[in-house]
Amino acid sequence: MSEDKELQQQDDSPPLKEIKFNYIKSNLFRVVRVDGIWAGITPNLDINVNLCSERYPIPQQTLHKIDPDGSIGEEIIDERISRDGIVREVEVGAVMDISTAKSLIELLQELIEQVEKVTENEEPE
């Protein structure tokens, strides 16, 4: 995968022939599932992409019977308090300039083509 940013040298030294990138995960790094995207343009004309995971809502409250031995029994479903619909939990937002957004599009297109190439060679069972 190539980087799209042009390196601007500060002096008149010969042009670089190679550059090494070291990838270091930040303390906040995590892998998230992406089921949806909410995006827009910032006031600075950058692109803001928010990645969402989808799930059914977790109940806000449940009511359970108490068994004769004092243990928690079955839930009384009619008393469950929960949200309607599907929850789209916004996992992470990314703001990028237009150049980076174009590189992201190119990278995603390359990856899509690779996956399609592999899956079209698979025979259905």
Side-chain angles (χ1 to χ4, degrees):
M1 290 177 229
S2 63
E3 300 290 329
D4 70 321
K5 302 273 185 187
E6 288 186 25
L7 295 174
Q8 297 178 1
Q9 293 181 258
Q10 300 296 326
D11 55 25
D12 292 331
S13 59
L16 294 173
K17 299 289 184 189
E18 294 180 336
I19 186 164
K20 186 181 290 186
F21 290 93
N22 293 287
Y23 292 87
I24 301 171
K25 295 175 185 171
S26 78
N27 292 335
L28 299 176
F29 174 82
R30 63 190 179 129
V31 175
V32 297
R33 169 137 184 109
V34 179
D35 297 312
I37 300 169
W38 186 265
I41 299 172
T42 71
N44 293 327
L45 301 179
D46 286 329
I47 305 217
N48 177 20
V49 178
N50 299 286
L51 307 177
C52 311
S53 63
E54 292 178 351
R55 61 177 171 77
Y56 289 109
I58 297 169
Q60 294 164 313
Q61 186 180 79
T62 60
L63 180 65
H64 292 257
K65 294 180 180 177
I66 302 293
D67 289 337
D69 65 358
S71 63
I72 297 174
E74 67 182 61
E75 178 186 356
I76 304 169
I77 300 292
D78 291 343
E79 296 295 322
R80 180 184 290 176
I81 299 173
S82 186
R83 298 176 189 258
D84 292 333
I86 296 173
V87 173
R88 266 197 158 180
E89 188 171 354
V90 181
E91 296 281 357
V92 65
V95 178
M96 63 194 82
D97 63 20
I98 193 166
S99 174
T100 303
K102 287 179 179 180
S103 292
L104 178 60
I105 290 169
E106 289 174 17
L107 173 62
L108 290 174
Q109 188 59 48
E110 287 174 17
L111 294 172
I112 289 167
E113 289 169 6
Q114 288 176 22
V115 170
E116 287 176 339
K117 190 181 241 182
V118 169
T119 57
E120 72 185 18
N121 292 331
E122 294 177 359
E123 292 188 28
E125 294 181 24

